Amino acid sequence: MRLITTLSILIISSLGLSGCGGDYQAERLMWEARQESRFIQGDPKLVPAEAWENVVQAYQKVLDKAPGSKLAAQAQFNIATVYLRQLDLEKAREAYGKVLQNYSKDRRLSSEAYFIIGRTHELENHWDKAVESYENLVLYYGDTLKGLQVPIYIAEGYKRRGQIEEARAAYEKALKGYDKRAEDSSSGNFKAHAYGFKAWAYESEGDWANALNTHMSVANEYPESDRAPLSLFTAALIYQQKFQDMDRAVQLYKTLLSRYPKHRLTQFAILQVRSYEEQGALKDLSVSPADVDSTRNLEMKTTDENPGS
C-alpha cells in the first residue's frame, strides 16, 4: 500500500512537470494536453476509458506535430505516466522506455523514467528487476538528484527485505560511489551534495560518528553550497540527539543563524537557542537527522543538466 501511495505522488508530480521553451505550436499542444488531463484526475476507477485515450492522443499530438521540440520528451513521459496511473504497468514501462531510447539527453526525465520503471517492478514483487533498473540509473545518470538518491534506496530496499548482507554491501558501494562522484566533479555545489548523501548513508547504517564528521566537512569546506545549511543543522541534531552534547549543538545552531540568517531552518535554530538560554535545555523538535536529510531534494537545484559539468 505504501508503494502504491508513493507511486501516486510520483504520478501527480509527473503530470505537472513541464518543459520550458520549444516552439509555439508545441507549447499550445502541450497546454491542450494538460487541459485534457484534468478529466483523468480523481479515482482512476471512475475515469471513463475514452478519457484516458483522449489524454494519450493529446500528448501524442505533441510528438507527431513537434517531434523536435523541447517538450517532446515531456509529452512521451506524460504518456507513460497516464499508463502508470491506470496501473497498466507493462505499457507504462514500454512508454518510459521510449523516453530512455529517444530522449536520453534529457537527464532529469530519463533518471525519473529509470526510477519509475524500477518501482513498477517492485509493485510486481520483482526486486531483482527493480535493482537492475536502479543500477542502470546510477550508471548512466548518477550525477542527477535521483542518481544520488538511489544507491541508498537500494540498500534500504535490501534491509526492508531482511537481506542484511546485501544491504551492507549496497551501503558500502554507495559510500564509495559518493566519493567517486565528488572527486570526478568540478562543481563545489555538487561535491557538497554527494558528500551530503554519503552522510545520509552513514546515518542509515547508524554510524553517527562518521555521519557527523561528513556533515561538518560539508559545512566547513563548501559553505557557499546550498547543501551546507542542511549539513550544519543535521550536525547540530546529531550532537543533541545522539551524543547529548547540548553545548556543541547550540554552537552549531548559532553558526547556522550567523551564516545563513534567511534560510528556512533558522526558525528552528532560533527556537533552540532561546530555549537553551532561557531554560538551560533544548527542545525536542520531533525530527531526526534522517528526517532532515530526506528533505535534501528541496535543496538541490541541479536536476535538468549534469551538475558536475
Side-chain angles (χ1 to χ4, degrees):
M1 180 61 68
R2 181 181 178 186
L3 180 56
I4 294 175
T5 301
T6 307
L7 275 174
S8 297
I9 295 171
L10 282 169
I11 289 165
I12 293 170
S13 60
S14 296
L15 284 173
L17 292 172
S18 62
C20 43
D23 55 57
Y24 171 76
Q25 183 184 33
E27 291 176 356
R28 179 178 57 80
L29 291 170
M30 185 63 97
W31 180 85
E32 292 175 355
R34 285 198 292 266
Q35 297 305 302
E36 198 69 44
S37 295
R38 293 181 303 170
F39 298 105
I40 63 170
Q41 302 308 311
D43 187 346
K45 295 178 182 178
L46 302 179
V47 177
E50 183 181 2
W52 294 111
E53 186 57 32
N54 288 343
V55 175
V56 170
Q57 289 178 1
Y59 284 119
Q60 186 63 45
K61 280 185 181 179
V62 180
L63 299 176
D64 294 340
K65 297 183 179 297
S69 74
K70 292 181 180 179
L71 294 177
Q74 185 67 62
Q76 179 61 54
F77 189 92
N78 286 4
I79 289 173
T81 304
V82 171
Y83 291 135
L84 178 63
R85 190 152 187 269
Q86 292 176 281
L87 288 182
D88 190 338
L89 302 185
E90 192 61 42
K91 274 191 175 181
R93 282 193 290 265
E94 181 181 349
Y96 283 121
K98 290 181 180 179
V99 174
L100 300 173
Q101 179 181 347
N102 300 327
Y103 308 103
S104 60
K105 291 184 179 179
D106 191 319
R107 305 183 66 74
R108 177 177 63 95
L109 290 181
S110 293
S111 63
E112 290 286 347
Y114 266 127
F115 184 71
I116 297 176
I117 288 172
R119 297 302 289 265
T120 64
H121 285 307
E122 284 192 71
L123 270 180
E124 296 176 327
N125 294 317
H126 297 154
W127 174 242
D128 289 346
K129 290 183 178 179
V131 170
E132 182 180 351
S133 184
Y134 298 144
E135 289 182 341
N136 280 332
L137 193 168
V138 175
L139 177 63
Y140 298 116
Y141 301 100
D143 51 5
T144 63
L145 172 59
K146 192 63 71 176
L148 289 174
Q149 291 172 329
V150 159
I152 297 174
Y153 181 84
I154 293 173
E156 291 179 343
Y158 280 124
K159 186 191 294 185
R160 288 193 303 272
R161 290 165 175 79
Q163 297 175 261
I164 304 305
E165 289 303 316
E166 289 85 351
R168 187 176 294 114
Y171 278 123
E172 187 63 30
K173 184 177 180 179
L175 292 169
K176 292 179 180 178
Y178 292 133
D179 280 336
K180 188 172 190 315
R181 291 290 177 191
E183 291 167 4
D184 290 347
S185 175
S186 60
S187 165
N189 194 56
F190 181 80
K191 289 176 184 288
H193 281 291
Y195 289 132
F197 276 92
K198 181 181 180 180
W200 189 11
Y202 281 132
E203 291 167 24
S204 298
E205 289 189 288
D207 187 347
W208 297 107
N210 274 320
L212 177 61
N213 289 337
T214 306
H215 280 304
M216 291 305 300
S217 294
V218 170
N220 293 327
E221 294 178 25
Y222 307 99
E224 302 301 319
S225 70
D226 51 63
R227 172 65 190 147
L230 233 62
S231 278
L232 259 181
F233 186 79
T234 308
L237 278 180
I238 293 174
Y239 271 119
Q240 177 184 342
Q241 297 180 0
K242 304 302 177 181
F243 298 128
Q244 287 74 51
D245 188 337
M246 304 307 163
D247 290 336
R248 187 65 178 126
V250 169
Q251 275 187 335
L252 293 185
Y253 287 131
K254 288 181 176 180
T255 301
L256 176 65
L257 290 172
S258 174
R259 289 186 188 176
Y260 313 103
K262 296 183 179 180
H263 195 273
R264 62 183 176 83
L265 290 173
T266 56
Q267 58 181 316
F268 301 108
I270 291 172
L271 180 69
Q272 292 296 63
V273 171
R274 284 179 180 170
S275 176
Y276 194 72
E277 291 178 346
E278 295 173 2
Q279 303 175 25
L282 294 176
K283 291 184 177 295
D284 181 4
L285 296 178
S286 299
V287 62
S288 71
D291 291 332
V292 176
D293 272 338
S294 68
T295 68
R296 62 170 48 82
N297 60 311
L298 300 176
E299 300 296 315
M300 188 169 178
K301 305 178 181 69
T302 49
T303 54
D304 291 320
E305 298 177 358
N306 181 345
S309 60

